[in-house]
Structure formats: C-alpha cells, structure tokens
C-alpha cells in the first residue's frame, strides 16, 4: 500500500486568505486525487492531478478557487484561495497503488473564521 | 436520490457484539466495492476490497456484496473498542469514478 504524508493536519485561517496543502507519496503514482469531506456528507472529489498536465476539476470546482500543482510523480499541492467560512472542511489527498486500490492521506482540518 | 445511501448512525454496541453496516446503491454499473475505516482526525483507511458479488472475509471482518439487490454489507465479529470509528462504503465502475457513502459512526463500548 502507498503511504501518503499530508500537511498541515489542521489550520485556522482568516476569511480572504489562502492555504496550501501538501501531499507526499512514498512511491511514484500516476494520478493523485483531492477530496473534500464535510460533516455528514460523503467524500466529494475536487479534482484529479496528473503529472505534467493541468488538473481535471469536477463540476462545481474551479481552478481559480482550488489551484493544484503536480510537479512530479510523488508530490502535489492543493491551494484553497480567498477562503470563506463555507470552505471549512476536511481536505484529503489520495492516490492509487499499483493494485488499483485508493489510499488516503491523513487529512487537513480547515476552519475559516 | 443519492447514488450511494448509507445510514449515518450513530451506532453504539457493547464490546463483543456483531456489528452490521450497510449501504445501498442505485447504479448497476458499479463493479468494485470497498469499505474504509476512518478514525477521528485521520484519513480513511482501506479495510475491505471486493469485486462483483460474493463474500470476502479478513479476520473479524466480512464484506458481502449482493449486486442483484444493490446492497453491500460489512460485518464485524467480536467487536472491540478499537473498532470505534466511522465506516465509509465506496464503490466504482470500471474506471476512476469513485462514489462514497456518507459514513456510519460506530462506537463499541467496553
């Protein structure tokens, strides 16, 4: 299984600021995924990040709000821009191991005041 | 109607009880079925992974898939306080398109 290190684990931010979340995988992976997890709701895919190309965003999510970088096959960042209290959530990165199973980082608990 | 329905609980059982967790789904194209366990302030951890219909057992955990009824279950035998967590069902078609249940919060009391 892949091991994914995600940081920060939690942060409290002011409205209008931005936060960048980092994920490091212990092996090379083709695709990385960014999810949002809101209380009482299922995980929602924000975007898929491929190395060497622009991220693919799901309906309801845009690059200006959630820019993603994928500089190599083991690392990705998600930025939550111009934050509002509605962005308060858990953000998770994930990747697929070679056996097609999906593994997750430990999550970032974001609170926006 | 949501594609994947999961009773959010919370579910509270005494130590040693058999726990049954369930999800229903509406899309018959789902082929792969998973259960994740998520402890508080942690990311989801893959617990069980099955393909198509049938049962799969791993220690105290048994996953069942009934594609004719569009119903999946996770059974936990001899439940322990360390099993207290939120359990997420997940499923996907033959691609990257995953769908998750909202999670069932389980507490096992000593």
């Amino acid at each position: 299984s892949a091991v994914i290190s995600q940081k920060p684990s939690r942060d409290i931010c002011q409205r209008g600021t931005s936060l960048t979340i980092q994920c490091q995988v212990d092996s090379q992976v083709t695709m990385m995924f960014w999810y949002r997890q809101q209380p009482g709701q299922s995980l929602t895919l924000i975007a898929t990040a491929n190395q060497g190309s622009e991220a693919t965003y799901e309906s309801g999510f845009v690059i200006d709000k959630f820019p993603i970088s994928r500089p190599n096959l083991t690392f990705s960042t998600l930025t939550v821009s111009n934050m509002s209290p509605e962005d308060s959530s858990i953000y998770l990165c994930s990747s697929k191991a070679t056996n097609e199973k999906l593994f997750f980082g430990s999550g970032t608990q974001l609170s926006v005041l | 109607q949501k594609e994947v329905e999961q009773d959010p609980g919370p579910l509270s059982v005494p130590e040693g009880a058999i726990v049954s967790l369930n999800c229903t789904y509406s899309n018959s194209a789902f082929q792969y079925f998973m259960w994740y366990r998520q402890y508080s302030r942690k990311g989801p951890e893959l617990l069980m992974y099955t393909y198509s219909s049938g049962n799969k057992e791993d220690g105290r955990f048994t996953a069942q898939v009934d594609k004719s009824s569009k119903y999946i279950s996770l059974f936990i035998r001899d439940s322990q306080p360390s099993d207290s967590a939120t359990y997420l069902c997940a499923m996907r078609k033959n691609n990257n398109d995953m769908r998750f249940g909202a999670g069932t919060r389980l507490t096992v009391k000593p």
Side-chain angles (χ1 to χ4, degrees):
Chain A
S1 63
V3 176
I4 304 175
S5 302
Q6 182 174 345
K7 59 180 181 181
S9 58
R10 58 194 307 129
D11 207 341
I12 301 172
C13 300
Q14 296 296 320
R15 181 194 299 260
T17 63
S18 298
L19 175 72
T20 296
I21 303 167
Q22 300 180 6
C23 270
Q24 179 78 50
V25 189
D26 68 345
S27 59
Q28 293 185 340
V29 293
T30 304
M31 301 168 85
M32 292 182 72
F33 308 91
W34 287 96
Y35 283 88
R36 183 172 69 185
Q37 185 178 30
Q38 295 179 310
Q41 297 185 28
S42 55
L43 271 70
T44 302
L45 181 64
I46 297 171
T48 301
N50 293 315
Q51 194 267 336
S53 63
E54 274 200 12
T56 303
Y57 289 82
E58 298 299 307
S59 176
F61 298 96
V62 295
I63 187 171
D64 289 346
K65 177 67 176 176
F66 297 101
I68 287 171
S69 78
R70 184 80 203 275
N72 57 53
L73 291 174
T74 63
F75 188 79
S76 180
T77 68
L78 170 78
T79 299
V80 186
S81 303
N82 188 23
M83 287 184 285
S84 66
E86 292 72 35
D87 295 320
S88 298
S89 185
I90 297 173
Y91 292 85
L92 293 156
C93 64
S94 67
S95 71
K96 275 189 182 180
T98 51
N99 56 12
E100 294 292 304
K101 296 177 182 178
L102 194 67
F103 294 90
F104 288 88
S106 53
T108 297
Q109 173 75 63
L110 172 61
S111 298
V112 184
L113 305 179
Chain B
Q1 181 188 9
K2 293 180 182 178
E3 261 191 306
V4 181
E5 297 275 4
Q6 182 175 9
D7 186 341
L11 181 62
S12 181
V13 301
E15 183 176 354
I18 297 175
V19 176
S20 173
L21 304 167
N22 311 293
C23 286
T24 59
Y25 62 96
S26 58
N27 193 331
S28 58
F30 288 127
Q31 296 286 339
Y32 300 87
F33 302 91
M34 290 135 278
W35 286 94
Y36 285 84
R37 177 176 61 196
Q38 186 175 21
Y39 292 115
S40 180
R41 298 179 183 175
K42 298 291 185 183
E45 168 195 11
L46 183 62
L47 202 55
M48 300 291 280
Y49 181 92
T50 55
Y51 171 71
S52 196
S53 284
N55 293 1
K56 183 175 183 179
E57 188 173 321
D58 184 0
R60 295 183 296 109
F61 299 90
T62 299
Q64 283 186 354
V65 175
D66 182 349
K67 291 191 71 180
S68 62
S69 302
K70 298 191 183 69
Y71 188 88
I72 68 171
S73 302
L74 177 71
F75 297 96
I76 307 174
R77 291 184 298 280
D78 187 24
S79 56
Q80 303 295 309
S82 58
D83 295 327
S84 298
T86 296
Y87 290 80
L88 308 169
C89 65
M91 50 200 74
R92 69 177 175 88
K93 306 164 197 175
N94 199 19
N95 56 20
N96 294 320
D97 193 8
M98 288 272 284
R99 292 287 182 264
F100 291 85
T104 300
R105 190 171 169 186
L106 171 68
T107 300
V108 181
K109 296 184 176 180

